[in-house]
Amino acid sequence: IRKDALLYFKQNNISWWRQQEDNYSPTGHLVSSQIHCLNHLFAIRKDDNAIKQLLKKATDIEFDKILPTTIDITNDGYIAFEFALDNEKLLGETDEGAKRGAMCTSIDAMIRAQKDDKIWLIPIEWKYTETYKREDKTNRKRLNRYKRLIECSERLKTPTDGISHSVYFIEPNYELMRQTLLCEQLVTQEYAHTFFHINVIPSANTELRNAVEKEFIPMLKEEAKFRIIDPQELLSPIPADGEYKDLISYLQTRYWKK
């Protein structure tokens, strides 16, 4: 997938993580979540049947069909990586240099699927070894952008002690909050009817899992439309001896527990 991923990021003007330090190339950092995500999903991005099986595993929903991406230059796949769409208009994110993967809310992988007459967004936030210093990210600019959206959200509860300095401005919740608001605004714009948020976190990363479970999930009005899942479990519907046997062998060797 190396050449294809490089071309995909170039064609769609997507930023690599730490791209300036790494000469605008994929990082060689072995615990990069961006690379972790691509290594798991990029090889199947044009296989709607495989993606349908993964979504059934993660959401318990058997979708009728997986829809092509709408924001990629070629639109020949079913997974959009580093998804961002109309962030300036929908979230007020106006930072200079903003693009997919940099200076704005980007979702690691986005899938659009259809069930009956409804179109679903499936945003996937992908984590690997992250831990956080519990920094309070509250400032005037961020409050101006997100406070009203949180107060009007149909998915997020408003903290009883106020939004400023609340759980929403502490990672990992800050990122999940912004992704939720973006998806809500896309639903308002009729880009889809609803969404199911997936947070991929390895089961061994108990610190991050506990933070999401104890801090972010209790702030959701619809907990049933959010799920944490281990990457190996997510890809478990793909047979180890089938079309993707080389992919599964590689993931088992590099990332998964034996």
Side-chain angles (χ1 to χ4, degrees):
I1 68 172
R2 292 171 182 162
K3 291 182 180 179
D4 288 344
L6 286 169
L7 180 62
Y8 175 87
F9 270 59
K10 182 177 181 179
Q11 285 180 327
N12 293 289
N13 192 27
I14 301 172
S15 175
W16 291 101
W17 180 62
R18 299 195 334 169
Q19 67 173 12
Q20 287 182 301
E21 299 96 318
D22 292 304
N23 196 28
Y24 295 87
S25 300
T27 181
H29 201 304
L30 293 178
V31 294
S32 164
S33 289
Q34 185 180 60
I35 301 302
H36 192 240
C37 176
L38 290 168
N39 281 343
H40 280 75
L41 296 182
F42 198 85
I44 66 167
R45 72 184 188 92
K46 296 184 179 182
D47 189 337
D48 57 334
N49 184 61
I51 295 168
K52 186 187 295 186
Q53 297 306 311
L54 266 59
L55 292 189
K56 183 179 179 182
K57 183 68 178 180
T59 67
D60 293 323
I61 301 171
E62 189 161 356
F63 289 100
D64 298 326
K65 60 181 177 179
I66 308 300
L67 304 174
T69 67
T70 60
I71 67 168
D72 292 338
I73 294 299
T74 55
N75 289 334
D76 61 346
Y78 298 95
I79 304 176
F81 294 93
E82 298 293 350
F83 177 95
L85 179 63
D86 293 337
N87 290 47
E88 180 176 352
K89 171 186 173 183
L90 300 179
L91 298 182
E93 296 179 342
T94 57
D95 293 304
E96 184 178 353
K99 63 177 182 177
R100 290 169 65 179
M103 305 300 292
C104 71
T105 298
S106 295
I107 297 170
D108 294 320
M110 177 71 87
I111 301 168
R112 295 171 72 240
Q114 185 169 336
K115 176 69 175 177
D116 299 325
D117 59 347
K118 293 186 182 299
I119 294 176
W120 289 64
L121 295 179
I122 314 295
I124 302 175
E125 168 66 356
W126 199 285
K127 295 298 184 187
Y128 188 18
T129 64
E130 282 83 353
T131 57
Y132 294 98
K133 297 180 180 179
R134 316 302 294 164
E135 174 189 358
D136 185 350
K137 293 180 173 289
T138 303
N139 61 31
R140 181 177 298 178
K141 180 174 71 174
R142 290 165 179 159
L143 284 172
N144 288 339
R145 287 177 177 174
Y146 308 123
K147 183 175 184 291
R148 182 189 62 81
L149 294 175
I150 293 172
E151 292 172 340
C152 297
S153 174
E154 295 183 0
R155 190 69 67 98
L156 300 175
K157 299 175 183 176
T158 301
T160 56
D161 56 351
I163 292 171
S164 180
H165 305 292
S166 71
V167 65
Y168 291 132
F169 289 92
I170 306 294
E171 293 287 18
N173 315 301
Y174 178 60
E175 194 166 21
L176 294 170
M177 173 271 287
R178 292 182 290 122
Q179 293 178 358
T180 300
L181 294 180
L182 177 58
C183 290
E184 278 198 293
Q185 292 306 300
L186 290 171
V187 169
T188 299
Q189 297 296 310
E190 299 183 345
Y191 185 72
H193 297 98
T194 188
F195 64 97
F196 192 111
H197 206 166
I198 297 172
N199 195 180
V200 174
I201 307 175
S203 56
N205 192 343
T206 55
E207 179 180 343
L208 183 57
R209 280 177 164 251
N210 288 339
V212 176
E213 289 170 354
K214 294 178 179 179
E215 298 172 12
F216 185 73
I217 292 179
M219 299 302 295
L220 293 172
K221 296 177 183 178
E222 292 186 83
E223 292 186 16
K225 288 184 178 178
F226 183 96
R227 184 179 177 194
I228 302 172
I229 189 169
D230 178 86
Q232 185 173 357
E233 182 182 2
L234 177 65
L235 267 71
S236 62
I238 297 180
D241 58 351
E243 177 183 357
Y244 296 105
K245 63 180 181 180
D246 290 341
L247 171 66
I248 299 303
S249 176
Y250 169 77
L251 295 174
Q252 287 174 335
T253 301
R254 178 166 180 178
Y255 294 118
W256 297 349
K257 293 187 299 183
K258 298 292 185 179

